[in-house]
Amino acid sequence: MLYNYFKIAFRNLRKYKLFSFINIFGLASGMMICLLALIDIKGSFDYDNFHPHPERTYRLLTDVVSKTNDRMAFATAPLPLADVLKKDYDFVEGATHFIRAYGEFDDGRKRLQPMTFWVDADFFRVFGYPIISGTAATAPHTAVITKSMAEKFFGKANPIGKVIQYGEAGAFTVTGIIDNTTPGRSHQRFDLLLSAQSLKSEALTDWKNHQEGYTYILLKPGVTQETFEKSLASVASRTTKIIQNAKINSYHFRAQALSAIAPSHEELMRGTYEPTYGKLATEMGVGLLTLLLAVFNYINLTLARSLSRAREVGIRKVVGGLRWQVMAQFMAESVILSLLGLALAFVGLKMIEPMEFVQRWLIGGVKWGWETGLLFVVFSIVAGLLAGWVPARILSNFEPAQVLRSHTGLKVIRGISLRKSLIVVQFSVSLLAMITLYVLDRQQTYMAEGDYGFVREQVLTIPILPGQSADKLVNALHQQAGVTQVATTSDLFGSHPQDTQWAYRQRSKTDSILIDCFSINHQLIPALGLKLLAGQNFRPIDASKNRVIINEEALKGFGLGTAKEALGKTIILSDNREVSVAGVVKNFNYASFVWALKPLLLQYQPERFQYLNVKVATGTAATSLAAIEKVWKQLYPYEPFAGQWYNDYLLERHSHDDDNNFLGVLTAIAFSIACMGLLGMVTYNTETRTKEVGIRKVMGAAVHQIIWSLSWDFVRLLLIASAVAIPLGYLAGMAILLNFSYHVSIGIETFGPCLALLFLIGGLTIGLQTYRSAIANPVKALRSE
């Protein structure tokens, strides 16, 4: 019997080739997204399983309870906690810190910002990242580096023994290369690990600092988590007494097993890179939604052919077939389609696997073998059974008498057919995805091309080589014909500020505000077209370095009155340096559009200069660039020229092409599934109305009249889908834009192109098929009837 089911199923697949292709393609597209989600979910439960003792390793969490009894959970812990536990409790075998370090490193040639952490000697014993060359960084001023970061710093040269400079912390010698990618997925990510022996002792003894470092404890064998947490309770009570914060009621510590970190059950402040259940549910939801669109196609096309299949059902029942046997036939066809779709989905998965977004956010680092393949097959069979259940149940319910009277119509509400409802759902989802993606793309374009309040046209940015003075280069550039200004800055505007500090008006520090600081020279303000509201620009040589320029937001934050009233008033910076206000500049967006305008302080500190901003005359961009490159080669013959136009820098900084490309693939898949379903429905509709078309043509109907008659029902479905998707798209778009302080609007400029594309593709799908039917020879049509 089972053999006959599959034999008939293959026969039907060959008979209805177009419908079979549509169903296989749709199921493959949906399953490909589901397979991506399944791989990521599988990998999420494999986090940190390669370490030596994951069952005995715990991360310490801190619960901070405020005076109003609000509780906040942190993934970090006070830095002295590890040493206290190791010293006072004999069941602790090892304790280690994982402390974030910020800032730039340079090796004398390049300046990079790797993801850096301070670690102690126990880190290399608790965690199992293999050191593929050299030794661990346990001595003061030593470091281990990942292979990928070593190549960025030193190219193909051996990094062992190389020295990199880290700001005021000094020089660090690379002692080893560590591998943090091939062992498996981990909630920790890093490029560089520095020996914590280089940290000042007070940094590791400050109980008030509970947000900068992660603490891990390795328990001795046989010690339970309950025993450990009882000890943490007593330490927490002592911690609360030591800190004595006026805003904090109490501190509590929890032990989180290494195996329980991923997937995360709760949202933690200062969390690491473990996936959350919400992320996994979203991924699976997107995959299942895409698969559901393909299932709609299967239901649609199967029910569209219900009249021909109803005769088959009637004959089966007349000769004694039972309902479950008829259902089994339809379910067998569905499973075969699903398995064929799985094969095509696997091919698609291999095609998109190299995409950077897929590797970075989904399946990068996941190891999967035959167990995962078996899971795919089981998932495919289940998907096929679910897809075939609705049409199998409906078609197997037909009675022979109903078949003879052709009572096969299916109604949902108020005469709207089930098939039409499914088409509306498909196009609504596709249009919603298209609107959301277009809003995101417009926002990224706006962030790259919008008005930041400073001039960036005809401005070339050049990184200053680490450890070298740029004076010779600046003097040489001034002599070039097309160069009008050469400004120096500590960082480029339009990105996240690197130097943020507390500033005060009084020595008591009771009136502090957080202020972003940039170091500039006297040519930056005219070069970028910034407007001084009061005061003076920096002098060509400002030896005092105690004069600063602030923006209007800083003026308000410090309560300095008007721009003129603020001149000469003093501000105290976090390093206790007292500076006076020399000028007030008009507000401009020095940071990304993600953040609202904040207080800004411009100062003259040549030792912090890292970039040149070279302004060239209009119309001389090409010749000036060639001249600047020539000067660079003369001064630095062995260093590559890294100059970049400011517009290109902002475009690169704010455009996320890889992410958009993947989202575009998802949208294209959803749209193609919907269009395939529409094509199948239009094809079947025109085939069943062949006689009607022939009669209309014989009676004198024009081709355009026949096309309209055949198309109107489907055009109406597109209109209904648009009415459903537009308000949902507006809400989804606004949900995205609320994350940006400055964003684009959502109106006809957003909906217009999306609707135009919808009706263009939908119209072509409908029009081409109905046109073929309308121009057919009516004699052949009537004779075939």
PDB file of all heavy atoms in Angstrom, residues 573-588:
ATOM      1  N   LEU A 573      38.282  69.582  34.587  1.00  0.00           N
ATOM      2  CA  LEU A 573      38.161  68.285  33.939  1.00  0.00           C
ATOM      3  C   LEU A 573      38.475  67.164  34.926  1.00  0.00           C
ATOM      4  O   LEU A 573      38.924  67.406  36.051  1.00  0.00           O
ATOM      5  CB  LEU A 573      39.091  68.215  32.732  1.00  0.00           C
ATOM      6  CG  LEU A 573      38.849  69.289  31.656  1.00  0.00           C
ATOM      7  CD1 LEU A 573      39.806  69.097  30.490  1.00  0.00           C
ATOM      8  CD2 LEU A 573      37.414  69.287  31.179  1.00  0.00           C
ATOM      9  N   SER A 574      38.242  65.927  34.510  1.00  0.00           N
ATOM     10  CA  SER A 574      38.376  64.786  35.423  1.00  0.00           C
ATOM     11  C   SER A 574      39.806  64.579  35.902  1.00  0.00           C
ATOM     12  O   SER A 574      40.032  63.959  36.936  1.00  0.00           O
ATOM     13  CB  SER A 574      37.865  63.510  34.736  1.00  0.00           C
ATOM     14  OG  SER A 574      38.591  63.275  33.543  1.00  0.00           O
ATOM     15  N   ASP A 575      40.804  65.078  35.155  1.00  0.00           N
ATOM     16  CA  ASP A 575      42.198  64.963  35.593  1.00  0.00           C
ATOM     17  C   ASP A 575      42.620  66.162  36.450  1.00  0.00           C
ATOM     18  O   ASP A 575      43.822  66.413  36.619  1.00  0.00           O
ATOM     19  CB  ASP A 575      43.121  64.826  34.387  1.00  0.00           C
ATOM     20  CG  ASP A 575      43.002  66.002  33.415  1.00  0.00           C
ATOM     21  OD1 ASP A 575      42.180  66.917  33.677  1.00  0.00           O
ATOM     22  OD2 ASP A 575      43.721  66.005  32.393  1.00  0.00           O
ATOM     23  N   ASN A 576      41.605  66.916  36.973  1.00  0.00           N
ATOM     24  CA  ASN A 576      41.822  68.086  37.836  1.00  0.00           C
ATOM     25  C   ASN A 576      42.479  69.250  37.108  1.00  0.00           C
ATOM     26  O   ASN A 576      42.960  70.198  37.740  1.00  0.00           O
ATOM     27  CB  ASN A 576      42.659  67.725  39.066  1.00  0.00           C
ATOM     28  CG  ASN A 576      41.867  66.876  40.047  1.00  0.00           C
ATOM     29  OD1 ASN A 576      40.662  67.090  40.229  1.00  0.00           O
ATOM     30  ND2 ASN A 576      42.528  65.912  40.686  1.00  0.00           N
ATOM     31  N   ARG A 577      42.493  69.173  35.771  1.00  0.00           N
ATOM     32  CA  ARG A 577      43.028  70.295  34.999  1.00  0.00           C
ATOM     33  C   ARG A 577      41.960  71.368  34.864  1.00  0.00           C
ATOM     34  O   ARG A 577      40.822  71.089  34.495  1.00  0.00           O
ATOM     35  CB  ARG A 577      43.483  69.794  33.628  1.00  0.00           C
ATOM     36  CG  ARG A 577      44.197  70.840  32.778  1.00  0.00           C
ATOM     37  CD  ARG A 577      44.989  70.147  31.668  1.00  0.00           C
ATOM     38  NE  ARG A 577      44.149  69.246  30.914  1.00  0.00           N
ATOM     39  CZ  ARG A 577      43.524  69.598  29.769  1.00  0.00           C
ATOM     40  NH1 ARG A 577      43.655  70.823  29.292  1.00  0.00           N
ATOM     41  NH2 ARG A 577      42.803  68.707  29.133  1.00  0.00           N
ATOM     42  N   GLU A 578      42.337  72.627  35.163  1.00  0.00           N
ATOM     43  CA  GLU A 578      41.403  73.751  35.093  1.00  0.00           C
ATOM     44  C   GLU A 578      41.598  74.482  33.772  1.00  0.00           C
ATOM     45  O   GLU A 578      42.709  74.896  33.438  1.00  0.00           O
ATOM     46  CB  GLU A 578      41.640  74.703  36.266  1.00  0.00           C
ATOM     47  CG  GLU A 578      40.534  75.732  36.436  1.00  0.00           C
ATOM     48  CD  GLU A 578      40.699  76.532  37.710  1.00  0.00           C
ATOM     49  OE1 GLU A 578      40.477  75.975  38.804  1.00  0.00           O
ATOM     50  OE2 GLU A 578      41.071  77.723  37.606  1.00  0.00           O
ATOM     51  N   VAL A 579      40.514  74.595  32.998  1.00  0.00           N
ATOM     52  CA  VAL A 579      40.583  75.237  31.683  1.00  0.00           C
ATOM     53  C   VAL A 579      39.568  76.363  31.617  1.00  0.00           C
ATOM     54  O   VAL A 579      38.579  76.383  32.365  1.00  0.00           O
ATOM     55  CB  VAL A 579      40.314  74.215  30.557  1.00  0.00           C
ATOM     56  CG1 VAL A 579      41.390  73.150  30.524  1.00  0.00           C
ATOM     57  CG2 VAL A 579      38.946  73.579  30.722  1.00  0.00           C
ATOM     58  N   SER A 580      39.823  77.314  30.737  1.00  0.00           N
ATOM     59  CA  SER A 580      38.913  78.449  30.569  1.00  0.00           C
ATOM     60  C   SER A 580      38.256  78.384  29.200  1.00  0.00           C
ATOM     61  O   SER A 580      38.843  77.893  28.228  1.00  0.00           O
ATOM     62  CB  SER A 580      39.672  79.768  30.722  1.00  0.00           C
ATOM     63  OG  SER A 580      40.653  79.890  29.714  1.00  0.00           O
ATOM     64  N   VAL A 581      37.044  78.906  29.125  1.00  0.00           N
ATOM     65  CA  VAL A 581      36.271  78.883  27.878  1.00  0.00           C
ATOM     66  C   VAL A 581      36.741  80.006  26.981  1.00  0.00           C
ATOM     67  O   VAL A 581      36.603  81.191  27.320  1.00  0.00           O
ATOM     68  CB  VAL A 581      34.765  79.009  28.161  1.00  0.00           C
ATOM     69  CG1 VAL A 581      33.984  79.032  26.844  1.00  0.00           C
ATOM     70  CG2 VAL A 581      34.281  77.862  29.036  1.00  0.00           C
ATOM     71  N   ALA A 582      37.323  79.649  25.830  1.00  0.00           N
ATOM     72  CA  ALA A 582      37.809  80.641  24.874  1.00  0.00           C
ATOM     73  C   ALA A 582      36.783  80.941  23.791  1.00  0.00           C
ATOM     74  O   ALA A 582      36.839  81.992  23.150  1.00  0.00           O
ATOM     75  CB  ALA A 582      39.105  80.174  24.229  1.00  0.00           C
ATOM     76  N   GLY A 583      35.826  80.014  23.574  1.00  0.00           N
ATOM     77  CA  GLY A 583      34.834  80.228  22.541  1.00  0.00           C
ATOM     78  C   GLY A 583      33.689  79.246  22.659  1.00  0.00           C
ATOM     79  O   GLY A 583      33.787  78.221  23.342  1.00  0.00           O
ATOM     80  N   VAL A 584      32.594  79.580  21.984  1.00  0.00           N
ATOM     81  CA  VAL A 584      31.413  78.720  21.953  1.00  0.00           C
ATOM     82  C   VAL A 584      31.059  78.469  20.496  1.00  0.00           C
ATOM     83  O   VAL A 584      30.880  79.420  19.720  1.00  0.00           O
ATOM     84  CB  VAL A 584      30.222  79.353  22.699  1.00  0.00           C
ATOM     85  CG1 VAL A 584      28.997  78.450  22.611  1.00  0.00           C
ATOM     86  CG2 VAL A 584      30.574  79.629  24.154  1.00  0.00           C
ATOM     87  N   VAL A 585      30.991  77.189  20.123  1.00  0.00           N
ATOM     88  CA  VAL A 585      30.697  76.827  18.750  1.00  0.00           C
ATOM     89  C   VAL A 585      29.234  76.388  18.636  1.00  0.00           C
ATOM     90  O   VAL A 585      28.664  75.831  19.577  1.00  0.00           O
ATOM     91  CB  VAL A 585      31.644  75.695  18.282  1.00  0.00           C
ATOM     92  CG1 VAL A 585      31.338  74.393  18.995  1.00  0.00           C
ATOM     93  CG2 VAL A 585      31.585  75.500  16.782  1.00  0.00           C
ATOM     94  N   LYS A 586      28.636  76.673  17.503  1.00  0.00           N
ATOM     95  CA  LYS A 586      27.250  76.283  17.260  1.00  0.00           C
ATOM     96  C   LYS A 586      27.144  74.758  17.265  1.00  0.00           C
ATOM     97  O   LYS A 586      28.040  74.057  16.818  1.00  0.00           O
ATOM     98  CB  LYS A 586      26.784  76.843  15.915  1.00  0.00           C
ATOM     99  CG  LYS A 586      25.338  76.554  15.569  1.00  0.00           C
ATOM    100  CD  LYS A 586      24.970  77.183  14.238  1.00  0.00           C
ATOM    101  CE  LYS A 586      23.548  76.832  13.819  1.00  0.00           C
ATOM    102  NZ  LYS A 586      22.547  77.302  14.802  1.00  0.00           N
ATOM    103  N   ASN A 587      26.028  74.257  17.789  1.00  0.00           N
ATOM    104  CA  ASN A 587      25.819  72.805  17.854  1.00  0.00           C
ATOM    105  C   ASN A 587      25.948  72.162  16.478  1.00  0.00           C
ATOM    106  O   ASN A 587      25.464  72.695  15.471  1.00  0.00           O
ATOM    107  CB  ASN A 587      24.432  72.491  18.409  1.00  0.00           C
ATOM    108  CG  ASN A 587      24.392  72.550  19.926  1.00  0.00           C
ATOM    109  OD1 ASN A 587      25.428  72.445  20.580  1.00  0.00           O
ATOM    110  ND2 ASN A 587      23.207  72.686  20.494  1.00  0.00           N
ATOM    111  N   PHE A 588      26.586  71.000  16.426  1.00  0.00           N
ATOM    112  CA  PHE A 588      26.635  70.187  15.217  1.00  0.00           C
ATOM    113  C   PHE A 588      26.735  68.732  15.659  1.00  0.00           C
ATOM    114  O   PHE A 588      27.096  68.423  16.806  1.00  0.00           O
ATOM    115  CB  PHE A 588      27.822  70.573  14.326  1.00  0.00           C
ATOM    116  CG  PHE A 588      29.166  70.267  14.926  1.00  0.00           C
ATOM    117  CD1 PHE A 588      29.861  69.123  14.583  1.00  0.00           C
ATOM    118  CD2 PHE A 588      29.757  71.140  15.842  1.00  0.00           C
ATOM    119  CE1 PHE A 588      31.095  68.834  15.138  1.00  0.00           C
ATOM    120  CE2 PHE A 588      30.994  70.867  16.395  1.00  0.00           C
ATOM    121  CZ  PHE A 588      31.669  69.706  16.046  1.00  0.00           C
TER     122      PHE A 588
END
